[in-house]
């Protein structure tokens, strides 16, 4: 008999128990004796019964709230795309009463992260998506979540020791190594390259960016050790005019630099400057398909963008929590996003959502 045609009554007759007992077993409710439980399980196995998890979840009539702990960010950033994906994930599961709440912390402050995590945990969410702070601080909250049996997903930076339900993000080291290889296909004879960083008090915004740089520098050391890499730090506290002054000074001092790279989503800061100053012999390579980056690619000041499907990461985090918590399904523990290269020729064909 097909699973879709098997009734609770059929299972009860096969097991020799009441319909109410079968219903309690199927919905994991209490007050079922071990003997009755064994009979029902045996009947389910013999009948090859596969429950309709969607119907069961709808019938359960429960609401679910997922908290998403993200760094504060400006517009035109990778995180905008992540948030849009999360919103779409909840919208798609609206019939199951799934909602989410985004909480923001200062990426450069472990105190801010702790405050937001405390506030989030106080609300007793059904699951969380977390962009981690420093390992020791994040571990404290991961341990609390494990004690409470609250599933959480790590986004952006993978910390395997924390034993998350799942992880979504790029293999950042491999991504940086790949970026170096792609850049030097354009600049095989260059002797100098500029590396742009956005920093606060000398620190970059994320571990992921650090890992990308590590991969990039290893590639350069292995294959182009003679190339000098000039770092240009653009402070997050500064405005566009101050950034432009720093860049103007740099290019006046280093007229031999024709290629630049950055490991954040703000390549357009340099790209816009290059267009404004009419420096057509210089290009920058960066990350993320945000609108201003895309426009610089079309106009030629950004040579390549490495895409990491930020929208899909946000969507997938919500969908994974839904599958694990609502449908009780097994989920993939580690999910590395594809490393894709976008150029002027293919950027308009990039599938941002790619939801089936």
């Amino acid at each position: 008999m097909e699973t879709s045609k098997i009734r609770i009554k059929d299972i009860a007759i096969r097991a020799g128990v009441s319909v109410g007992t079968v219903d309690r077993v199927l919905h994991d409710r209490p007050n079922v004796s071990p003997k009755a439980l064994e009979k029902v399980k045996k009947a389910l196995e013999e009948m090859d019964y596969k429950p309709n998890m969607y119907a069961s979840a709808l019938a359960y009539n429960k609401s679910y709230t997922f908290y998403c702990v993200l760094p504060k960010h400006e517009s035109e950033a990778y995180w905008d795309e992540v948030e849009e994906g999360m919103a779409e994930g909840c919208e798609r599961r609206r019939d199951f009463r799934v909602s989410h709440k985004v909480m923001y912390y200062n990426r450069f402050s472990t105190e801010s992260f702790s405050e937001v995590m405390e506030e989030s945990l106080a609300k007793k969410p059904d699951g969380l998506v977390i962009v981690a702070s420093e390992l020791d601080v994040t571990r404290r909250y991961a341990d609390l979540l494990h004690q409470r049996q609250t599933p959480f997903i790590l986004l952006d930076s993978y910390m395997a020791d924390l034993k998350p339900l799942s992880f979504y993000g790029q293999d950042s080291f491999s991504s940086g190594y790949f970026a170096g290889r792609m850049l030097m296909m354009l600049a095989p004879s260059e002797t100098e390259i500029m590396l742009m960083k956005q920093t606060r008090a000398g620190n970059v915004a994320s571990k992921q960016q650090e890992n990308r740089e590590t991969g990039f520098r290893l590639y350069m050391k292995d294959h182009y050790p003679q190339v000098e890499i000039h770092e240009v730090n653009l402070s997050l506290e500064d405005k566009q005019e101050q950034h432009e002054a720093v860049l103007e000074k740099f290019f006046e001092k280093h007229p031999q630099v024709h290629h630049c790279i950055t490991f954040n989503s703000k390549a357009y800061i340099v790209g816009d400057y290059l267009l404004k100053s009419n420096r057509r012999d210089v290009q920058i390579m960066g990350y993320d398909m945000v609108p201003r980056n895309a426009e610089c690619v079309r106009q030629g000041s950004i040579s390549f963008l490495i895409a990491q499907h930020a929208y899909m990461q946000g969507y997938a985090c919500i969908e994974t929590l839904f599958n694990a918590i609502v449908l009780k399904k097994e989920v993939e523990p580690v999910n590395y996003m594809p490393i894709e290269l976008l150029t002027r020729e293919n950027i308009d064909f990039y599938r941002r959502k790619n939801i089936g």
Side-chain angles (χ1 to χ4, degrees), residues 120-131:
S120 299
L121 266 61
K123 301 296 184 181
K124 298 181 179 179
D126 296 284
L128 291 94
V129 179
I130 302 171
V131 177

Side-chain angles (χ1 to χ4, degrees), residues 40-307:
V40 173
K41 285 184 175 180
K42 184 179 179 182
L44 294 174
E45 184 178 343
E46 290 173 350
M47 299 171 80
D48 194 25
Y49 177 79
K50 295 179 177 61
N52 185 333
M53 300 304 294
Y54 285 89
S56 297
L58 283 169
Y60 194 48
N61 199 33
K62 183 183 185 306
S63 61
Y64 303 87
T65 303
F66 304 144
Y67 269 58
C68 306
V69 179
L70 305 182
K72 291 178 184 175
H73 56 276
E74 301 172 357
S75 61
E76 293 283 349
Y78 157 82
W79 301 111
D80 286 344
E81 294 270 297
V82 170
E83 286 193 52
E84 287 186 44
M86 289 175 170
E88 175 62 23
C90 287
E91 176 62 24
R92 196 163 189 188
R93 299 304 182 186
R94 183 174 54 181
D95 289 347
F96 295 87
R97 294 165 292 281
V98 171
S99 63
H100 76 304
K101 170 74 173 175
V102 180
M103 305 289 285
Y104 301 103
Y105 71 93
N106 180 342
R107 186 112 200 209
F108 295 89
S109 168
T110 56
E111 291 80 9
S112 174
F113 177 80
S114 295
E115 289 172 5
V116 170
M117 286 299 299
E118 292 287 351
E119 184 179 352
S120 299
L121 266 61
K123 301 296 184 181
K124 298 181 179 179
D126 296 284
L128 291 94
V129 179
I130 302 171
V131 177
S133 180
E134 292 181 8
L135 177 60
D136 288 345
V137 178
T138 310
R139 188 195 304 278
R140 183 163 70 246
Y141 294 102
D143 290 345
L144 278 172
L145 290 167
H146 285 304
Q147 289 172 21
R148 297 184 182 187
Q149 296 185 320
T150 303
F152 67 94
I153 291 174
L154 289 181
L155 175 65
D156 191 51
S157 296
Y158 185 37
M159 298 176 177
D161 289 350
L162 303 187
K163 297 181 174 58
L165 171 71
S166 189
F167 162 76
Y168 282 91
Q170 275 192 347
D171 182 328
S172 49
F173 178 87
S174 296
S175 175
Y177 197 90
F178 172 80
R181 183 176 182 183
M182 294 300 101
L183 178 65
M184 296 315 293
M185 289 179 69
L186 289 180
S189 59
E190 297 296 303
T191 58
E192 300 176 66
I193 287 174
M194 186 260 271
L195 168 60
M196 185 273 274
K197 297 183 180 182
Q198 276 213 295
T199 60
R200 178 169 291 163
N203 298 314
V204 296
S206 73
K207 190 68 176 176
Q208 187 184 67
Q209 290 179 39
E210 291 180 12
N211 289 341
R212 288 171 182 167
E213 183 180 341
T214 300
F216 168 74
R217 287 187 178 276
L218 179 61
Y219 178 83
M220 296 301 292
K221 179 181 177 182
D222 288 346
H223 300 278
Y224 293 91
Q226 76 281 6
V227 174
E228 186 174 3
I229 299 172
H230 301 288
E231 288 191 16
V232 173
N233 294 324
L234 301 182
S235 173
L236 286 163
E237 291 92 345
D238 290 346
K239 296 182 179 180
Q240 180 180 346
E241 295 79 11
Q242 293 166 295
H243 292 160
E244 289 178 355
V246 171
L247 293 170
E248 183 71 24
K249 184 177 180 180
F250 173 83
F251 285 110
E252 285 179 359
K253 185 177 179 180
H254 301 280
Q256 299 305 312
V257 171
H258 303 291
H259 293 277
C260 319
I261 192 166
T262 187
F263 299 108
N264 59 56
S265 60
K266 300 291 184 71
Y268 64 80
I269 293 176
V270 179
D272 286 345
Y273 162 78
L274 295 173
L275 293 171
K276 185 176 180 179
S277 61
N278 201 32
R279 293 181 182 270
R280 298 292 177 176
D281 62 336
V282 182
Q283 292 180 319
I284 184 167
M285 177 179 179
Y287 278 72
D288 298 323
M289 175 63 168
V290 298
R292 287 177 69 182
N293 278 349
E295 188 55 34
C296 286
V297 171
R298 295 185 185 100
Q299 295 193 46
S301 60
I302 294 181
S303 53
F304 290 142
L305 285 176
I306 294 180

